[in-house]
Amino acid sequence: MDCWHREIERANTEADVVTRAQDYLLLWSPVELAPLARESRNVRIESGADIDRLKRTASAASITPYTPELHELASYLWHAARRIGEIRRSHHA
């Protein structure tokens, strides 16, 4: 899934990151996201705050038997959150 990470790096605005993260989340089936749904009723991405919330939820859930799949999702969300931080800092510089 390196192409998805490259897309995050190409994002120039927070909205771009959110859109890419929304698209990425659509690849996940409800069964794969079920462990997240147990922790957070809202497994959707509509803003940078949602990315931050889901990254924490996915990270916590990745220590369960679902580790490989959720670790991949958590890694992507951490990357997306980091990119949003970079974009925000560049606009304040």
Side-chain angles (χ1 to χ4, degrees), residues 25-92:
L25 194 60
L26 287 173
L27 298 174
W28 293 76
S29 74
V31 171
E32 292 172 311
L33 295 174
L36 296 184
R38 284 185 221 126
E39 300 294 324
S40 172
R41 293 203 188 285
N42 188 8
V43 184
R44 292 190 319 225
I45 295 174
E46 296 175 353
S47 68
D50 290 335
I51 290 171
D52 195 53
R53 178 182 47 78
L54 282 177
K55 82 172 189 207
R56 289 190 310 272
T57 304
S59 294
S62 72
I63 60 173
T64 69
Y66 306 97
T67 299
E69 296 85 8
L70 292 181
H71 180 73
E72 181 180 334
L73 178 58
S75 173
Y76 177 84
L77 293 170
W78 276 92
H79 184 194
R82 181 183 53 77
R83 182 67 184 130
I84 287 172
E86 291 170 353
I87 291 167
R88 287 176 179 168
R89 283 189 298 279
S90 73
H91 286 107
H92 290 105

